[in-house]
Amino acid sequence: MVLVKSLKAREILDSRGEPTVEVELCAENGVFFAMVPSGASAGSHEALEMRDGEKRFGGKGVLKAVKNVNEVIAKKIVGRDAGRQKEIDEAMLELDGTENKGRLGANAVLPVSIACLKAAAAAKGKKVFEYVGELAGVNACVLPVPQLNVMNGGKHAGQENDVQEHMLMPVGAKNYAEGLRMACETYQALKKILKKKFGARGTLIGDEGGFVPPVANVEGRLELMAQAAREAGWEKEVVFALDCASTEFYKDGVYTIGDKRFSSGELADYYSQLVARFPVVSIEDGMSEDDWEGWQELTRKIGGKTQVVGDDLLVTNAERIKKAVELKAVNSALIKVNQIGSVSETLDAIVEARKSKWSVVVSHRSGETEDAFIADLVVGVNGGQSKFGAPARSDRNAKYNELLRIEEALGAKAKYLGRKFRG
Ligand code: 2PG
Ligand code: MG
């Protein structure tokens, strides 16, 4: 039992210099903080991120969400046992009373939910990942195979009709720390190649710390990544993943990448060619958020060998995951805590995905903070894969570094799935 003594929210900045919510929770055993991330290529089925819409911060202030924590949520949560995660989350859901947290804002509910979890973990003398494991009913010991976004495109790089993320996965490593080193060495080799080829313009970076060189097409970017892996000496150890974020380049039944236009079927064929030509083992958001038939076709065509990950399609929502299971639309779920807005509902989504033996990828947002909770979450649920951006900028490295600490704490118990990253 650990009583919440007080709850206070404030407006802070995220990695893009835009406002977000931080909660400071005072419990009997100390003070605990939680911060909310924010997406740029957000799906339309996500829980509501409440923005003020007033002049300050170009409409992006979050003082309404802050007020909702301080004046509405605090009344309901102060005096409760932070160790009763489900009850805390349900109380907030009831208070909100909408389908999408439209009254309070997911950015008000989520940090309270996470701060309670941190307080409860500390009260039990557990590390956060261990306590997540207890909540999820698993023996938390699996370090994720990271997907590291080393080349940014699309909305994260100020470009239109473009694939968003080009990622490295160090599947040939024997543990997480070694995998991180392989990825970093490849990232640094890529930086050298880009500098040589394009000068200083080649190593500018996007929102998630990946490079944004003047290479407009996916094939060109993957070739450069392959060259970097070769030069770093990790050609055999490193494979690739893409997040196309295709909702951003879909309109009226047509997908447009650069100057090429595709129907869903043609796009699925294009991805088939890509995975045949490059060591691409995972494709996220290959189809748009409501193009269920496109998703089915894609999974039929490449899902046997390739991980087909739903992000904007599923929005960490157990109900949408159930529908995707029924329709055989994907074989993997991306998990983002702020898409659904509470710890309990995030765990429900993971349980739903696991029932069908899908793989699970725990993900950051393009707008992040120094809060490393998602590193604890991915190990806590034995997620097996993470997506935390490039190994650059402290908003991303806060997570990578937390995973190093967790692997060290687990010692001989730590597992790394490597080539069996899909579980
Ligand atoms: C995504 C995310 C994170 P955003 O599409 O998977 O990489 O981007 O947070 O902008 O939605
Ligand atoms: Mg995505």
Side-chain angles (χ1 to χ4, degrees), residues 83-318:
R84 297 186 173 268
Q85 189 72 44
K86 248 208 137 91
E87 284 175 23
I88 297 262
D89 291 341
E90 273 165 12
M92 288 192 283
L93 289 193
E94 203 177 287
L95 203 55
D96 178 80
T98 69
E99 279 284 300
N100 68 344
K101 306 197 172 50
R103 177 163 169 242
L104 296 173
N107 47 347
V109 174
L110 178 67
V112 176
S113 180
I114 294 175
C116 284
L117 184 151
K118 290 179 180 176
K124 289 202 159 189
K126 293 199 165 184
K127 294 191 183 299
V128 175
F129 78 90
E130 290 172 324
Y131 182 62
V132 171
E134 188 181 313
L135 288 178
V138 302
N139 172 25
C141 62
V142 177
L143 270 292
V145 173
Q147 299 187 356
L148 301 103
N149 182 9
V150 295
M151 281 210 189
N152 294 185
K155 250 197 179 160
H156 299 166
Q159 285 166 45
E160 274 182 2
N161 297 335
D162 190 22
V163 167
Q164 181 176 280
E165 301 172 26
H166 310 71
M167 297 177 278
L168 303 173
M169 293 178 72
V171 294
K174 58 180 183 306
N175 57 43
Y176 163 75
E178 188 187 61
L180 186 63
R181 178 168 75 91
M182 288 173 179
C184 287
E185 289 176 2
T186 307
Y187 179 78
Q188 298 301 345
L190 181 60
K191 186 172 186 176
K192 267 198 198 139
I193 294 166
L194 295 174
K195 182 103 197 266
K196 209 164 150 201
K197 224 174 149 110
F198 303 107
R201 166 73 186 85
T203 58
L204 296 177
I205 62 164
D207 286 355
E208 299 187 348
F211 301 116
V212 187
V215 181
N217 63 80
V218 184
E219 291 86 345
R221 292 168 184 164
L222 291 175
E223 260 156 26
L224 287 161
M225 284 163 62
Q227 186 187 344
R230 256 192 324 273
E231 291 185 10
W234 300 124
E235 189 186 7
K236 293 203 175 67
E237 286 76 13
V238 166
V239 294
F240 304 148
L242 295 173
D243 176 7
C244 304
S246 71
T247 305
E248 300 293 328
F249 55 77
Y250 177 79
K251 201 166 182 257
D252 302 331
V254 180
Y255 292 89
T256 309
I257 306 180
D259 54 12
K260 293 199 192 91
R261 290 158 64 83
F262 304 86
S263 66
S264 305
E266 289 163 350
L267 190 61
D269 290 337
Y270 170 65
Y271 294 142
S272 307
Q273 288 160 20
L274 266 188
V275 301
R277 186 168 153 206
F278 294 97
V280 171
V281 298
S282 175
I283 296 189
E284 176 185 330
D285 277 2
M287 296 288 161
S288 180
E289 61 188 359
D290 289 311
D291 182 8
W292 291 95
E293 284 172 19
W295 278 102
Q296 287 174 301
E297 184 163 358
L298 179 62
T299 299
R300 245 190 338 264
K301 280 185 175 149
I302 67 168
K305 259 181 72 186
T306 309
Q307 179 171 264
V308 180
V309 190
D311 170 15
D312 291 353
L313 178 79
L314 307 173
V315 291
T316 315
N317 181 318

Side-chain angles (χ1 to χ4, degrees), residues 311-330:
D311 170 15
D312 291 353
L313 178 79
L314 307 173
V315 291
T316 315
N317 181 318
E319 293 310 312
R320 286 185 73 90
I321 291 174
K322 272 185 205 156
K323 179 168 176 187
V325 167
E326 248 164 58
L327 295 177
K328 295 194 173 63
V330 299

